[in-house]
Amino acid sequence: MQNISAKDLIMPYFVIEGRNKKEPVANMPGIFRLTIDNLLEEISEAKRLGISRVLLFGACPRQYKNESASYAYAKNNIVPRAVAGLKRKIKGVSVITDVCLCAYTSHGHCGILNKKNKIDNRKTLEALSKIAFVHADSGADWVAPSAMAKKQVSAIRSALDKNGFSKVKIMGYSAKFASNFYGPFRDAVDSAPKFGNRKAYQLDYTDAKKALREIRDDIREGADMVMVKPALSYLDIIKEAKQKFNYPLAVYNVSGEFALVKMGANIGLWQEKEVVFEIITSLKRAGADYIITYHAKDIAQWIKQKNYLI
Ligand code: PBG
């Protein structure tokens, strides 16, 4: 445990429209959908505890969703507004924004679909590039494309560079598996696909070689950091990626993994804090440089209070 620091952790947040709202996310005790005012308060508190990196997800009201995900790159989208507010009010926090379409498409898929309901990669890249631009323009330090569209990193890199945002970095969701562990997240941003599944674009968990190729490709395309997601069932991929590429590596301890810990603690199977430290230690041991986790703020608090056993 002694080698885990709040600096290694990235706390995800869900942002919603409106004022002074704090809506609990189903099956994720302690995690809320927050309006910008409450988000800023939460982040200042997290910062006091030592958290210096946050990852923002926007939740899109149903009536704004459409086939082209146009609200995703609208200037008045909740995410760029939140980023601008955050940058104005809180210094020293690095802001990463998720760049995807699934919360904004009427069908819930991560890309724009063609007439045969297959991903139209060209249109998807255009939309992702526009989102990345709007986020960068509002002050995001990092953009994190998570749509698993082919060449999404290079498309976004060139869009940012062309528009004077060469300093904005890219965290690629490089090895993102078609996983069963995303359920609570999809409830939080209402992004479950309305038909089919994401297996055509997210990775097959039986194919480790392909996952490593995706990571290699993201590095070649100009990602500043790569990611493996989810975390716990993919420790082998984390370890191999770190050994093979020795490149900045983030790992996403996802919503379903968080829910498992909480539910086990709730029924008395284990002590939450102990299990969390065991998990985070395993991720670091495997080779993660940064860990995106909904436990981040709690961990920072436990570290600060020296409230852990190891
Ligand atoms: C997709 C996306 C997903 C998550 C973040 N961005 C997964 C998905 O719905 O396919 C999951 C994060 C989590 O479960 O915590 N854009």
Side-chain angles (χ1 to χ4, degrees):
M1 214 310 288
Q2 46 275 40
N3 60 358
I4 293 171
S5 141
K7 296 264 168 282
D8 304 331
L9 307 175
I10 301 174
M11 180 73 194
Y13 288 100
F14 303 114
V15 201
I16 52 172
E17 300 282 347
R19 284 172 76 189
N20 197 21
K21 285 195 207 145
K22 186 172 175 178
E23 302 174 352
V25 174
N27 301 312
M28 296 183 77
I31 302 297
F32 298 87
R33 292 157 33 107
L34 302 168
T35 47
I36 295 177
D37 43 3
N38 286 333
L39 174 80
L40 298 187
E41 254 175 53
E42 268 292 316
I43 294 179
S44 332
E45 199 184 313
K47 195 198 154 194
R48 276 197 293 281
L49 296 168
I51 300 286
S52 57
R53 294 181 175 80
V54 299
L55 171 61
L56 300 187
F57 292 96
C60 176
R62 273 270 158 89
Q63 67 270 25
Y64 295 172
K65 299 188 188 216
N66 58 30
E67 301 265 304
S68 57
S70 55
Y71 184 62
Y73 45 83
K75 277 216 170 54
N76 64 344
N77 176 294
I78 190 75
V79 175
R81 273 156 48 213
V83 175
L86 221 163
K87 284 286 161 187
R88 213 171 30 244
K89 298 239 169 80
I90 307 173
K91 300 287 167 236
V93 171
S94 186
V95 182
I96 309 162
T97 57
D98 185 80
V99 174
C100 196
L101 304 182
C102 57
Y104 301 98
T105 49
S106 35
H107 44 68
H109 279 287
C110 298
I112 311 282
L113 300 182
N114 63 22
K115 290 205 176 67
K116 290 180 181 150
N117 281 341
K118 298 267 181 321
I119 299 284
D120 180 325
N121 205 64
R122 188 185 58 79
K123 286 190 182 153
T124 301
L125 292 183
E126 266 174 32
L128 295 172
S129 302
K130 286 193 227 170
I131 301 174
F133 167 75
V134 171
H135 291 184
D137 199 34
S138 68
D141 301 286
W142 289 77
V143 292
S146 69
M148 292 302 280
K150 289 185 191 71
K151 302 271 180 205
Q152 58 181 6
V153 170
S154 54
I156 288 174
R157 183 71 274 156
S158 64
L160 291 176
D161 290 349
K162 258 185 234 146
N163 287 287
F165 293 114
S166 47
K167 287 221 175 87
V168 174
K169 297 197 173 102
I170 299 179
M171 174 194 270
Y173 278 69
S174 316
K176 175 170 174 180
F177 290 89
S179 169
N180 295 291
F181 288 102
Y182 302 146
F185 172 91
R186 291 179 185 173
D187 287 342
V189 295
D190 181 29
S191 68
K194 302 284 176 287
F195 56 84
N197 55 48
R198 303 212 205 286
K199 290 186 180 166
Y201 42 99
Q202 296 182 348
L203 301 177
D204 173 356
Y205 55 72
T206 64
D207 197 347
K209 287 214 170 71
K210 171 125 196 252
L212 288 156
R213 283 202 302 274
E214 294 277 345
I215 294 172
R216 181 202 60 195
D217 290 350
D218 272 9
I219 295 172
R220 286 185 184 161
E221 286 180 40
D224 300 279
M225 189 175 318
V226 289
M227 189 201 297
V228 175
K229 173 184 175 185
L232 278 182
S233 301
Y234 301 92
L235 292 172
D236 56 330
I237 311 285
I238 299 170
K239 182 160 189 187
E240 212 171 328
K242 192 66 200 176
Q243 284 181 345
K244 207 168 186 150
F245 305 113
N246 192 24
Y247 206 72
L249 178 64
V251 171
Y252 201 143
N253 177 219
V254 300
S255 59
E257 298 175 308
F258 176 87
L260 277 182
V261 167
K262 290 282 186 177
M263 284 173 191
N266 203 22
I267 59 172
L269 272 185
W270 49 57
Q271 282 193 21
E272 179 177 342
K273 191 179 35 172
E274 302 299 318
V275 171
V276 170
F277 279 128
E278 183 175 346
I279 290 171
I280 302 299
T281 302
S282 78
L283 302 179
K284 289 234 70 172
R285 201 178 59 231
D289 297 305
Y290 294 97
I291 296 160
I292 303 166
T293 176
Y294 303 94
H295 299 291
K297 195 175 150 210
D298 291 339
I299 297 172
Q301 187 138 30
W302 293 327
I303 294 176
K304 196 146 206 158
Q305 298 166 343
K306 301 209 181 328
N307 184 4
Y308 48 83
L309 293 183
I310 315 169

